[in-house]
């Protein structure tokens, strides 16, 4: 089962790109929390060999301009790098359009780079099929093989589902997600994805994750928040499920971060208010506003169900536990506003003398 350790020397802020891991088997073993070594245990110093690092490339957009925020979000898979620039201003649409047309402020763009023989080059300049000012296309990106997913959380269409009416702008900031695929080095848009219950200011697409033929999208502005799971069959996407936490309430922002690996989805709710600690605690205790929580869902036979409700070991109001990163058999959750002044590993969690210093909690099997 999982144990947890906390890193308090990690800088405050986002953990970066969500990685994908096979953790379904681990979840079936259960989850628990521990607080480091017991007094009768001797820490082990394990020698490590670290390969020397060198910078391979310095990467910029092909149409660099002030305030584009190139690097808003990045994703890498093998020899492909994807970079979002949420405030890029071009009114171009589709692939490799006119980069010099700055008539759509903050519409956003995505750049795809590939590496051949150790050399990086730009492969594609990617825009939405319905580019408009303020959409912030590229706010979140994810890539798996030849599938690229891009979130535009301020897109305005009132369309629902897959490939609806992109021209209907009656739902400001409802958000959209765009799926692109690559064939023979050429990218094209495969799907225009909207929520099943598109609504004003939902910000659908604030966070996305893709693994194979499964896509998960966060929709944190939907009342208490929601996450949608989509699946692809014969190149056609359809909504498979919409998921909520077992105790979601207004303002929880469920779906603000998502992660996906095979048949396992993790969804965080940065505004969740329970003072519970550890795994599967008291969800009904709302005495710690914005403490945050993470929910684990698994899929069996195409049906999704919640498997775990995860909290920090020192959950407190305002900590915003819920920024997710996973790798191998380790789940990391960041709490960017946690306030302990502890340093290093497994320090004093009760010392709240460093406001918004932030902490990271590690969960792993035992």
């Amino acid at each position: 089962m999982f144990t947890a350790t906390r890193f308090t020397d990690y800088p405050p802020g986002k953990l970066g790109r969500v990685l994908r891991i096979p953790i379904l088997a681990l979840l079936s073993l259960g989850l628990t929390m521990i607080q480091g070594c017991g007094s009768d245990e001797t820490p082990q110093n394990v020698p490590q060999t670290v390969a020397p690092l060198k910078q391979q490339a310095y990467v910029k957009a092909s149409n660099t301009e002030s305030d584009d925020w190139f690097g808003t979000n990045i994703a890498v898979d093998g020899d492909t790098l994807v970079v979002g620039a949420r405030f890029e201003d071009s009114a171009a649409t589709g692939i490799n359009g006119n980069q010099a047309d700055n008539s759509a402020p903050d519409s956003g763009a995505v750049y795809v780079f590939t590496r051949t023989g150790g050399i990086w080059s730009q492969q594609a300049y990617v825009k939405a099929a319905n580019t408009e000012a303020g959409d912030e296309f590229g706010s979140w990106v994810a890539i798996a093989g030849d599938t690229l997913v891009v979130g535009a959380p301020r897109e305005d269409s009132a369309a629902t589902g897959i490939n609806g009416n992109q021209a209907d702008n009656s739902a400001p900031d409802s958000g959209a997600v765009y799926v692109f695929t690559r064939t023979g080095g050429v990218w094209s848009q495969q799907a225009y994805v909207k929520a099943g219950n598109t609504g004003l200011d939902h910000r659908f697409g604030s966070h996305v994750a893709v693994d194979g033929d499964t896509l998960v999208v966060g929709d944190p502005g939907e009342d208490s928040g929601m996450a949608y799971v989509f699946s692809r069959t014969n190149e056609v996407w359809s909504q498979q499920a919409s998921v909520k936490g077992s105790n979601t309430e207004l303002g929880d922002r469920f779906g603000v971060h998502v992660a996906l690996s095979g048949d396992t989805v993790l969804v965080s709710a940065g505004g969740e208010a329970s003072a519970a600690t550890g795994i599967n605690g008291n969800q009904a205790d709302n005495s710690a506003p914005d403490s945050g929580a993470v929910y684990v869902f698994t899929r069996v036979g195409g049906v999704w169900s919640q498997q775990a409700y995860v909290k920090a070991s020192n959950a407190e109001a305002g900590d915003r536990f819920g920024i997710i990163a996973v790798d191998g058999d380790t789940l990391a959750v960041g709490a960017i506003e946690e306030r302990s002044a502890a340093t290093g590993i497994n320090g004093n969690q009760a010392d709240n003398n460093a406001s918004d210093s932030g902490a990271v909690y590690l969960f792993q099997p035992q």
Side-chain angles (χ1 to χ4, degrees), residues 277-299:
T277 58
I279 312 303
N280 295 329
N282 179 11
Q283 302 180 32
D285 174 3
N286 284 332
S287 60
D290 296 333
S291 54
V294 171
Y295 302 78
V296 182
F297 301 86
T298 56
R299 174 174 55 188

Side-chain angles (χ1 to χ4, degrees), residues 169-196:
N169 285 333
S170 59
D173 295 345
S174 55
V177 167
Y178 303 76
V179 180
F180 301 87
T181 56
R182 176 173 53 188
T183 303
V186 177
W187 290 93
S188 60
Q189 184 172 313
Q190 184 178 68
Y192 167 70
V193 182
K194 296 284 286 189

